[in-house]
Amino acid sequence: MSEAATHSTATSPGPQPAAPPTPGLLTSLEPLLREWLPRQRWFAGKGRPVAGFSLVAATELLPVGGRPDDSRSGGAKAGLLHLLVRAHQPLVPSQGAPVQPGDCYQLLLGVRETLPPHLAPALIGHVTDGPLAGRTVYEALHDPRLADVLLEALRTQARIGDLRCARDTRLALPEGLVPRLVTSEQSNSSVVYGDTFILKLFRRVVPGANPDLELPLTLSRAQCPRVPAPAAWMTADLGPATGGGGADPETHVLGVLQPYLKGAADGWELALSMLAKGEDFTGEARALGRATAEVHAALAEALPTVTLGRPQVESLVDGMTERLEAAAQAVPALRPYASGLRTAFDALADLAAEGHTWTAQRIHGDLHLGQCLRSPIEVDARHSGGGEWSLIDFEGEPSKPLAERRMPQPVARDVAGMLRSFDYAAHSLRPPAADWASVCRAAYCSGYADVSGADPRTDPVLLRAYETDKAVYEVVYEARHRPDWLSVPMAAIHRLATDTGPATT
Ligand SMILES: Nc1ncnc2c1ncn2[C@@H]1O[C@H](COP(=O)(O)OP(=O)(O)O)[C@@H](O)[C@H]1O
Ligand SMILES: O=P(O)(O)O[C@H]1O[C@H](CO)[C@@H](O[C@H]2O[C@H](CO)[C@@H](O)[C@H](O)[C@H]2O)[C@H](O)[C@H]1O
């Protein structure tokens, strides 16, 4: 496959001229990447062979010759390569299917002569030929010295080759914060610096405004305290030959640094632990409803809203129906319920045909309990204007095209995502705590109404359609990723296929 688009070497701020491509760099890494990339949780093309790679951009953030005088790496030489690499795959797994230039991934590669034992889990492999012959390549984010280079680039607003770092200079960003890689399951990769900031590096990179930067920036400018405000971000401007887009260079968002909410509990873990202890979660659910409504109100104020009439709702319903059909193809257990589920979508189309309209606005797009962080209670007590719950991860469903993720949508979609999450928590118990789910779902809607003045339950048709769409998505997700969990969304499928009443009762 084709070799480099751009290759640059620099470590200091200020615009840097792009150096010519390093011949053979990708060719020498290709055997290692073929083996390593498909094993990463964030690799989106699982199940289809990787036919090859092309280099979109290469930047040397630390010379791969390393720094012999670097005491923090124990005197060892460590280099840091930032690569944007496109994986070429057939669209379908069948033999002989045509290979397409596929997704572009952000890779941060450490390069050393030998890997010290504490970095062994980060090993990608040993390079046998080309410009890195004889070196060991590893996942750089495991190496504090290399993770520090990223923070320093953000802090100094470095411009290195195609990479651009920018920051909100009103926020203090100290140097030398000790980095630690987040090891929990993620769609991207995050590094926490000194329990003060967290840097999320997007793994699958697409041209255009990433909502995970766009929406938190918008909310922070609107002084909405429910979202950690971006402190710095890294982007790359890539031309048509590299980015694969139009005639002009397009911005690709590579990473966002935010304040780290130390000691915060994620909503999923908190709900499960309170549920297990028999503790009442309705107060938290109500507060979550209020937080969601605050975020929605701020987004509606700051960004355009639109009215969805019959044609738009018909196309929304077509999308839901198509997803249901594709899901039923993929997961046979869904098939007996398909016609019952379709009634949820048809009922929405019928309302639109009668002349009902809905308001659409920018929303979170992938809201569930795991995207909500609860500040520790003692922080709440000291907090002047917010505390409680924060929402994170505004990227939307990463598998959907960016344009679709950035489209205005009814707020009911986010609400339905949270209602599904309460149901998930309740069904993770044996026997399921169905009453727990009902009261939490009701409390969440009441909290939402406290702030917005509109209770989501007053539009049961829209809510049921979105809840059904999400449950169908979850069936496919669980069948693919966690087959042991399939019974959780299937319980909802059973309910939604037969229930025509309000989703929260
Ligand atoms: N600002 C933050 N403060 C504390 N923890 C955070 C923060 N942002 C993210 N996290 C933690 O990192 C995890 C992954 O973040 P997330 O944005 O959901 O990444 P991904 O898109 O890769 O799933 C979250 O589940 C949460 O535990
Ligand atoms: O990792 P993402 O935030 O992109 O979301 C994916 O994984 C989620 C599971 O981690 C999955 O969420 C489903 O399971 C959750 C419990 O683990 C539950 O709270 C959610 O309501 C349920 O949808 C999500 O669907 C998937 O996109």
Side-chain angles (χ1 to χ4, degrees):
M1 290 292 170
S2 68
E3 186 63 5
T6 59
H7 175 89
S8 324
T9 304
T11 52
S12 58
Q16 304 289 329
T22 298
L25 175 66
L26 187 60
T27 313
S28 66
L29 291 173
E30 189 158 327
L32 306 185
L33 296 183
R34 255 179 214 277
E35 159 66 21
W36 175 80
L37 193 65
R39 286 191 278 117
Q40 304 312 302
R41 193 209 188 232
W42 39 263
F43 180 68
K46 290 204 169 71
R48 292 177 284 131
V50 177
F53 298 96
S54 53
L55 196 57
V56 173
T59 309
E60 204 174 39
L61 288 171
L62 261 192
V64 290
R67 286 179 171 167
D69 58 345
D70 183 359
S71 56
R72 273 181 291 185
S73 59
K77 299 176 183 179
L80 175 56
L81 278 180
H82 181 283
L83 302 184
L84 294 173
V85 169
R86 197 174 293 285
H88 298 254
Q89 296 186 273
L91 279 178
V92 287
S94 59
Q95 232 185 355
V99 171
Q100 308 266 342
D103 294 313
C104 176
Y105 294 96
Q106 176 172 211
L107 310 182
L108 285 130
L109 304 184
V111 180
R112 290 184 184 237
E113 300 286 338
T114 52
L115 209 54
H118 73 277
L119 288 176
L123 177 70
I124 296 176
H126 307 285
V127 185
T128 52
D129 50 24
L132 299 179
R135 308 288 176 83
T136 299
V137 173
Y138 62 105
E139 171 67 277
L141 300 177
H142 288 255
D143 188 338
R145 169 65 191 119
L146 301 186
D148 183 48
V149 171
L150 297 176
L151 182 67
E152 199 49 20
L154 291 164
R155 206 183 62 77
T156 58
Q157 306 201 64
R159 307 180 79 191
I160 309 166
D162 296 311
L163 307 186
R164 303 272 177 275
C165 295
R167 60 179 274 212
D168 181 342
T169 46
R170 292 168 305 173
L171 291 171
L173 194 47
E175 37 184 324
L177 297 171
V178 177
R180 112 180 113 78
L181 181 63
V182 172
T183 50
S184 58
E185 292 270 287
Q186 273 191 260
S187 310
N188 298 287
S189 296
S190 300
V191 181
V192 174
Y193 291 93
D195 278 351
T196 314
F197 290 98
I198 181 166
L199 171 63
K200 171 151 137 184
L201 292 152
F202 299 105
R203 288 305 195 159
R204 197 146 63 104
V205 170
V206 293
N210 185 327
D212 211 7
L213 174 59
E214 180 195 19
L215 297 186
L217 265 184
T218 302
L219 289 162
S220 106
R221 284 172 189 145
Q223 300 193 323
C224 175
R226 296 297 177 192
V227 173
W233 45 94
M234 184 164 77
T235 58
D237 290 331
L238 301 174
T242 54
D248 296 321
E250 284 186 281
T251 299
H252 296 57
V253 179
L254 302 175
V256 181
L257 185 80
Q258 289 182 342
Y260 180 68
L261 306 178
K262 191 179 172 201
D266 110 27
W268 172 252
E269 298 295 338
L270 187 66
L272 285 192
S273 85
M274 290 179 71
L275 180 55
K277 287 187 260 173
E279 287 173 7
D280 179 24
F281 195 72
T282 54
E284 298 297 350
R286 194 169 186 129
L288 267 169
R290 286 197 297 268
T292 312
E294 281 177 40
V295 167
H296 283 166
L299 289 176
E301 175 79 22
L303 297 171
T305 62
V306 293
T307 300
L308 304 182
R310 186 173 179 178
Q312 294 81 16
V313 173
E314 277 175 358
S315 117
L316 187 72
V317 165
D318 287 347
M320 290 173 170
T321 308
E322 280 162 25
R323 285 191 287 278
L324 170 60
E325 278 159 12
Q329 281 296 317
V331 186
L334 208 46
R335 291 179 199 160
Y337 300 98
S339 63
L341 296 171
R342 223 171 280 123
T343 63
F345 306 147
D346 294 344
L348 184 58
D350 290 348
L351 267 191
E354 286 165 20
H356 280 262
T357 59
W358 287 267
T359 300
Q361 62 159 89
R362 296 299 299 279
I363 61 169
H364 181 284
D366 190 20
L367 198 57
H368 55 81
L369 278 165
Q371 315 279 37
C372 306
L373 295 179
R374 173 70 162 86
S375 305
I377 309 293
E378 61 275 20
V379 173
D380 275 358
R382 281 186 275 118
H383 208 285
S384 50
E388 297 188 348
W389 289 97
S390 298
L391 308 191
I392 57 164
D393 197 2
F394 283 74
E395 206 184 357
E397 270 175 34
S399 57
K400 296 222 161 106
L402 190 67
E404 201 179 319
R405 288 190 261 145
R406 295 186 65 221
M407 264 172 15
Q409 301 176 71
V411 292
R413 178 155 179 221
D414 279 350
V415 171
M418 287 300 294
L419 297 184
R420 289 289 315 118
S421 231
F422 294 120
D423 201 51
Y424 249 76
H427 280 84
S428 69
L429 283 191
R430 288 285 167 271
D435 289 349
W436 184 92
S438 293
V439 293
C440 287
R441 288 156 61 100
Y444 177 79
C445 289
S446 300
Y448 193 94
D450 290 345
V451 170
S452 72
D455 191 315
R457 288 170 291 187
T458 56
D459 196 350
V461 171
L462 185 65
L463 207 49
R464 178 170 168 242
Y466 271 115
E467 216 197 330
T468 303
D469 190 41
K470 180 74 185 188
V472 166
Y473 164 89
E474 288 166 343
V475 165
V476 179
Y477 177 86
E478 301 301 359
R480 266 193 204 141
H481 299 280
R482 305 185 295 193
D484 290 354
W485 287 60
L486 189 56
S487 63
V488 174
M490 282 308 295
I493 290 293
H494 180 77
R495 171 173 59 81
L496 290 158
T498 49
D499 173 18
T500 50
T504 51
T505 57

